Amino acid sequence: MSIRNLEHLFRPRSVAVIGASDRERSVGSVVMRNLRQAGFAGPVWPVNLKHTTVCGAQAWPDIASLPEAPDVAVICTPAPSVPGLIAALGRKGTRAAIVLSAGMNAPMRPGSTSGPSIGQAMLDAARPHLLRILGPNCIGLLVPGVRLNASFAPASAQPGHVAFVSQSGALATALLDWANSRSIGFSHFISLGDGADVDFGDVLDYLASDPDTRAILMYMESVGSTRKFMSAARAAARNKPVIVVKAGRAPEGAKAAASHTGALAGSDAVFDAAIRRAGMLRVDTLTDLFDAAETLARARPLHGERLALMSNGGGAGVLAADALSLGGGLLAALSDDTLARLDACLPSNWSHGNPVDLIGDAPAIRYTSALGILLDAPEVDAVVFMQAPTALVPSQEIAAACRPLMHASTKPVLTCWLGGAVVAAARVDCDEAGIPTYDTPERAVAAFLHLADYRRNQEVLLQTPPAAQTFTPNLASAHDVLAAALSTQREWLNEAEAKALLAAYDIPVVETRTAADADEAADAAAAIGFPVVLKILSPQISHKSDVGGVALNLKSAEEVLTAARSMQRRVGELRSDAVLAGFTVQQMVTRPHAHELIVGVANDPLFGPVILFGQGGTAVEVLKDRAVALPPLNINLARDLIARTRVAGLLAGYRDRAAVDQGALCASLLKVSQLVCDLPQVVELDINPLLADEQGVIALDARVKIRRTTEQGSARLAICPYPSQLEEHLQSAVGPILIRPIRPEDEPRLRSFYADASPSDMRLRFFFVRREVLHSELARYSQIDYDREMTFIAVVEGAEETDDGGLLGEARAVCDPDNVSAEFAIQVRSGWQGKGLGHLLLDKLLRHLRSRGTREAVGECLPENAAMTALARSVGFDVRELPDHKTMAMRIELR
């Protein structure tokens, strides 16, 4: 399920309270009181088996006797009664319930150790009726806009345009009290509780299109269906700010593990990566949560990250500069021209730099002059404006003088009025004018850093990656390696097998051979050529260097024999439990200026496979210089992954060390991403070290953990990768064409496609004449969520390198989150209509929708679009003119 029937939950016309009571301080009594005090306009029906009236209103003995099906029912009864009540509500016709009851993990049959839990029985009872359940074990739901308080919270919420969603009921009630004391209002205040049915993904899908919600705030402890969550989060974050605070920053993943990656990819780092990929903003505290909501809702969009600080005292400026530096922000370097202009309007003893100290006696004109200069400076992207009260000029007078400049600016201005009652009027004036305001320099700078983080995360959603150099992995070879290892019941590939797997994905590896004993190792070394590296081969020993199982730069057969026999003795002494299966011999690679890096894959329990990159070598756990990202990667995401590590600065080159081949390094990350998308058998992977220098990259060592599985390659991924299996080569009237799903790097050819369209074709497609399609739209059209939407493009075979990319047409469909209905659109390149391309594209799209179980496809076109209506009718659409006589509706059942 997803948003289906959630309108009954969030916009009900009637409410039933099951377990309503007059008993003081009972849940049923508090819920009834809250519903009545909030002023809910619809009927509220108490259900109580023993009383004919509750809270002065008529009560009904059971659900069946209610005058009609309530839109939503609030269940306040003990856990064992809930499954039966849900079944009765479903039969009555109710489509949503709020279950406040706790204890749902208990067995349905008391004392039983088998059979379903009460919670599972509840879900089983709801499923036939598509009845949605909020909770259980929650405090309920508040929607101030419709005067709904279906909760046992101690207070009501004020109306506003921010939605708050929490997994913790106790924290939600405390935060509600805090928000009321600060006059913070909400469009929705939702307690998810256990989230057995309605979860974060469902709520994000609903709130993303809710016109009363301008920002979504979430307190999270865990995520259920991660793929649904990521799809919903990415869609919601494109529409409005989504800000998250998550409990549990402790490094749960930092535990002993057989691979470096398994030890390093902690779950909190993975959650950070998921939030970043979805375009949301993560903050540390609940105070930050509301500060960030205010900032993002009120501040102008940020187009750069260079901040100017101005105040009437040096102390505030220094505190703000410190906070900016510690937060990784960028202080704007003021140009000579800006400094000269400031010199002309400020006293001679001003700070002559950034922060700009206006001096304590500054009148209002000094503030407006300096603020205007900073906002006009091209090297400044935003301003934090600070003022400490003085007896010379009232703060409110300064606020009134500066407000017009702040309103007129296209750059964000964040204000900070230091103090209490003396500056309260200035703070209120800014607040009422919609100007973000904070009470300390640190909070104002933190708000700017939130803007910068949010901007970067949003850019990830809209970046168009350049076309990456394509490669075709040797899947047959990769599957052979995995099958051979799995047939012997092993969970780890040996070193030679691991490198063979990497080689199948065109990742450069050093030549490696296996040897059963010391003599074979010496022969293998002679065949490879000296010098060589010798390593032990033992399934029980993960880190070979821990037992002296690695010898470097062996220059003769005698040295290989001596080293091998010495390793045998050490393994016997230090690890008597280990089986020495032999040795690996590899070419000694001498690249003195190369960097040792690590590239890995780990399986996060929530988000599935994640890719790790950082500084490698034997001290990898000590250095802790790594970043993680969710696959699939593109070239932009690979560059971003590298940039988020400290070693990235070294990779750019310094002194006599040349910059590494960034193209080769990014290509390796893309190939590892492709490997993990293709091969669900791979559970963990370490390439450590991966040597990187100006000559390229080469993997010296690799470990791969595997498992036997029947799932498809992409099923375990949090984000659906490019579905290459949907590519189809066809013959058409214009010659051989390729119909395939659109890719993010197709944005340039999509831009050309629309730019070359005639005004008439653009009007028929978009219902109005437009000269261009903006980058933000093109990014959305090309960077699609393959789980929820699909765009097929038709490309002339072999013409993708032409100026227009050979793009002849597109057919796209966007499914609702429940996969019930898909809205479609289609366009063929101007001058190429009438050649059957539209039919081929539409047929491909409908086949895909049928295969994914979509129930219907719908669309609209203008009445004069005779070609579209003829095409739709030819494939079975019902085409009808709408009552407004301005649009034709097209619909087809997909059975």
Side-chain angles (χ1 to χ4, degrees):
M1 298 184 188
S2 189
I3 63 170
R4 190 178 310 171
N5 289 332
L6 288 189
E7 71 277 8
H8 297 286
L9 179 65
F10 294 123
R11 296 279 171 177
R13 293 165 298 178
S14 56
V15 181
V17 181
I18 317 299
S21 172
D22 283 318
R23 184 164 48 87
E24 189 67 23
R25 297 185 180 179
S26 67
V27 173
S29 170
V30 174
V31 171
M32 284 295 297
R33 183 194 68 207
N34 282 349
L35 279 165
R36 297 178 70 148
Q37 289 182 352
F40 180 66
V44 176
W45 296 314
V47 176
N48 187 301
L49 182 62
K50 299 179 180 178
H51 297 89
T52 57
T53 62
V54 172
C55 296
Q58 179 185 353
W60 281 261
D62 51 35
I63 292 165
S65 62
L66 288 171
E68 59 184 78
D71 270 5
V72 66
V74 187
I75 297 179
C76 313
T77 59
S81 66
V82 172
L85 293 172
I86 291 293
L89 286 166
R91 290 192 297 270
K92 185 72 173 178
T94 298
R95 292 295 174 259
I98 302 169
V99 179
L100 308 181
S101 321
M104 306 296 285
N105 291 327
M108 189 64 191
R109 292 179 296 175
S112 172
T113 58
S114 61
S117 66
I118 296 174
Q120 186 58 54
M122 172 190 73
L123 294 175
D124 292 342
R127 189 170 295 110
H129 310 286
L130 297 178
L131 189 152
R132 308 308 307 276
I133 295 173
L134 180 66
N137 191 26
C138 68
I139 67 162
L141 166 69
L142 297 89
V143 186
V146 295
R147 298 181 177 274
L148 177 70
N149 183 354
S151 77
F152 62 94
S156 259
Q158 299 178 28
H161 296 286
V162 172
F164 179 71
V165 189
S166 174
Q167 277 179 311
S168 167
L171 185 144
T173 56
L175 189 136
L176 180 59
D177 183 57
W178 178 88
N180 282 336
S181 71
R182 288 159 177 79
S183 298
I184 296 173
F186 298 92
S187 65
H188 298 74
F189 196 92
I190 303 167
S191 168
L192 289 180
D194 294 343
D197 173 27
V198 176
D199 59 14
F200 281 112
D202 299 321
V203 172
L204 281 169
D205 275 327
Y206 180 87
L207 295 175
S209 56
D210 177 56
D212 294 330
T213 300
R214 295 178 187 166
I216 303 169
L217 314 184
M218 300 194 297
Y219 169 80
M220 302 182 69
E221 294 174 354
S222 63
V223 180
S225 175
T226 50
R227 182 173 277 194
K228 181 175 78 172
F229 170 75
M230 288 300 293
S231 289
R234 293 167 74 195
R238 289 183 186 272
N239 288 342
K240 57 194 68 172
V242 182
I243 309 163
V244 176
V245 62
K246 181 182 179 293
R249 280 190 173 273
E252 300 170 18
K255 56 190 177 186
S259 72
H260 294 294
T261 305
L264 294 179
S267 60
D268 194 65
V270 176
F271 185 84
D272 264 342
I275 292 299
R276 183 184 184 90
R277 184 70 175 269
M280 299 186 288
L281 174 65
R282 183 179 185 181
V283 297
D284 295 336
T285 68
L286 291 172
T287 301
D288 288 341
L289 195 68
F290 283 92
D291 277 355
E294 176 177 0
T295 307
L296 294 176
R298 294 185 168 190
R300 298 285 191 270
L302 186 64
H303 298 294
E305 299 188 12
R306 300 163 299 178
L307 179 65
L309 305 169
M310 61 175 288
S311 71
N312 64 334
V318 171
L319 287 173
D322 285 348
L324 184 67
S325 177
L326 292 171
L330 182 62
L331 196 65
L334 301 182
S335 68
D336 291 342
D337 179 61
T338 300
L339 291 170
R341 293 180 65 192
L342 288 170
D343 269 334
C345 69
L346 298 180
S348 59
N349 59 335
W350 80 281
S351 56
H352 296 281
N354 187 12
V356 177
D357 182 358
L358 307 181
I359 312 303
D361 64 351
I365 186 62
R366 199 180 295 170
Y367 282 93
T368 56
S369 299
L371 180 59
I373 291 167
L374 291 176
L375 292 175
D376 193 45
E379 71 273 19
V380 172
D381 298 310
V383 176
V384 165
F385 172 106
M386 294 167 281
Q387 199 265 343
T390 71
L392 301 175
V393 185
S395 298
Q396 190 173 17
E397 182 180 321
I398 295 170
C402 292
R403 262 201 325 266
L405 277 173
M406 297 175 184
H407 267 302
S409 173
T410 58
K411 300 175 182 179
V413 181
L414 312 178
T415 64
C416 170
W417 303 95
L418 288 87
V422 178
V423 298
R427 199 174 285 148
V428 169
D429 283 356
C430 284
D431 188 62
E432 290 178 349
I435 298 167
T437 185
Y438 310 91
D439 53 10
T440 67
E442 293 86 352
R443 284 182 67 183
V445 169
F448 168 76
L449 294 173
H450 292 154
L451 275 178
D453 285 344
Y454 182 71
R455 171 180 174 267
R456 286 191 290 266
N457 292 357
Q458 285 289 298
E459 282 182 344
V460 170
L461 282 180
L462 298 176
Q463 278 180 340
T464 302
Q469 185 175 0
T470 58
F471 79 100
T472 303
N474 188 338
L475 282 173
S477 175
H479 284 301
D480 287 345
V481 170
L482 296 173
L486 289 169
S487 68
T488 61
Q489 308 302 312
R490 285 187 285 131
E491 65 172 5
W492 288 94
L493 301 183
N494 64 39
E495 186 178 351
E497 292 169 331
K499 288 178 178 173
L501 184 66
L502 297 182
Y505 275 79
D506 198 29
I507 297 170
V509 295
V510 65
E511 183 182 356
T512 302
R513 300 191 183 190
T514 58
D517 54 33
D519 291 328
E520 282 192 20
D523 292 340
I528 291 173
F530 296 102
V532 297
V533 177
L534 181 71
K535 302 177 185 178
I536 59 170
L537 194 60
S538 172
Q540 288 80 30
I541 301 175
S542 300
H543 305 308
K544 297 176 277 291
S545 58
D546 291 349
V547 295
V550 179
L552 306 176
N553 204 29
L554 302 177
K555 299 176 181 177
S556 67
E558 291 74 19
E559 289 187 16
V560 173
L561 285 168
T562 301
R565 290 163 183 163
S566 177
M567 288 177 184
Q568 285 176 315
R569 287 194 301 272
R570 279 196 300 273
V571 170
E573 294 168 359
L574 299 175
R575 290 292 304 271
S576 57
D577 62 310
V579 174
L580 186 60
F583 302 90
T584 62
V585 184
Q586 67 183 51
Q587 179 186 7
M588 178 72 190
V589 176
T590 305
R591 290 163 79 161
H593 294 296
H595 298 270
E596 289 191 337
L597 306 173
I598 181 172
V599 174
V601 173
N603 195 56
D604 183 79
L606 288 177
F607 290 94
V610 295
I611 297 174
L612 176 141
F613 172 82
Q615 194 163 359
T618 56
V620 61
E621 285 98 343
V622 178
L623 295 171
K624 294 183 179 179
D625 177 24
R626 73 270 185 173
V628 297
L630 301 185
L633 298 181
N634 58 39
I635 190 70
N636 285 344
L637 294 170
R639 289 171 180 162
D640 177 71
L641 179 60
I642 295 168
R644 286 188 282 119
T645 59
R646 295 190 302 275
V647 76
L650 301 178
L651 301 180
Y654 60 98
R655 293 190 177 179
D656 63 336
R657 294 187 72 168
V660 305
D661 184 343
Q662 286 278 345
L665 182 55
C666 288
S668 294
L669 288 170
L670 294 179
K671 291 168 183 177
V672 169
S673 171
Q674 186 64 49
L675 184 152
V676 75
C677 291
D678 290 342
L679 305 175
Q681 300 92 336
V682 174
V683 178
E684 288 181 18
L685 180 150
D686 263 357
I687 305 173
N688 183 32
L690 178 75
L691 292 188
D693 58 17
E694 71 277 10
Q695 301 174 48
V697 299
I698 187 166
L700 297 192
D701 200 0
R703 286 183 56 75
V704 179
K705 185 177 182 180
I706 58 174
R707 65 172 179 178
R708 191 179 300 277
T709 180
T710 57
E711 70 180 352
Q712 296 298 311
S714 64
R716 60 187 180 141
L717 301 175
I719 299 173
C720 185
Y722 175 76
S724 58
Q725 71 276 9
L726 296 178
E727 293 181 350
E728 191 171 1
H729 298 269
L730 298 171
Q731 281 293 332
S732 72
V734 300
I737 62 171
L738 168 64
I739 295 184
R740 62 166 175 83
I742 200 166
R743 293 191 291 248
E745 53 266 35
D746 287 320
E747 183 184 329
R749 55 178 56 96
L750 197 61
R751 181 185 296 109
S752 172
F753 175 74
Y754 290 138
D756 290 346
S758 68
S760 173
D761 283 348
M762 290 295 281
R763 179 176 177 274
L764 294 177
R765 168 67 174 83
F766 293 101
F767 288 29
F768 63 95
V769 176
R770 57 190 312 184
R771 294 182 178 180
E772 64 174 337
V773 182
L774 300 176
H775 161 67
S776 57
E777 289 182 84
L778 291 168
R780 295 188 183 196
Y781 293 162
S782 55
Q783 298 179 39
I784 66 172
D785 183 343
Y786 299 114
D787 250 359
R788 294 190 172 188
E789 53 190 311
M790 180 54 66
T791 298
F792 289 111
I793 60 173
V795 181
V796 177
E797 289 275 19
E800 293 208 3
E801 301 305 317
T802 61
D803 290 342
D804 59 17
L807 179 57
L808 300 179
E810 59 157 348
R812 62 180 63 244
V814 179
C815 298
D816 64 51
D818 300 313
N819 195 32
V820 172
S821 182
E823 185 175 358
F824 83 98
I826 188 168
Q827 184 171 353
V828 174
R829 179 175 285 276
S830 297
W832 292 77
Q833 294 101 340
K835 302 179 186 297
L837 291 172
H839 193 282
L840 290 174
L841 282 164
L842 186 55
D843 175 69
K844 176 74 172 177
L845 187 65
L846 295 179
R847 282 188 284 128
H848 170 70
L849 292 173
R850 288 189 177 99
S851 71
R852 71 191 305 273
T854 310
R855 293 188 187 179
E856 65 173 14
V858 298
E860 293 183 0
C861 69
L862 296 174
E864 60 264 37
N865 196 346
M868 183 66 246
T869 55
L871 172 60
R873 287 190 175 101
S874 73
V875 296
F877 276 85
D878 176 52
V879 181
R880 298 183 183 182
E881 187 176 37
L882 292 177
D884 62 6
H885 303 295
K886 296 179 180 180
T887 315
M888 304 294 290
M890 301 170 285
R891 181 179 178 277
I892 188 172
E893 288 279 345
L894 301 172
R895 296 297 183 185

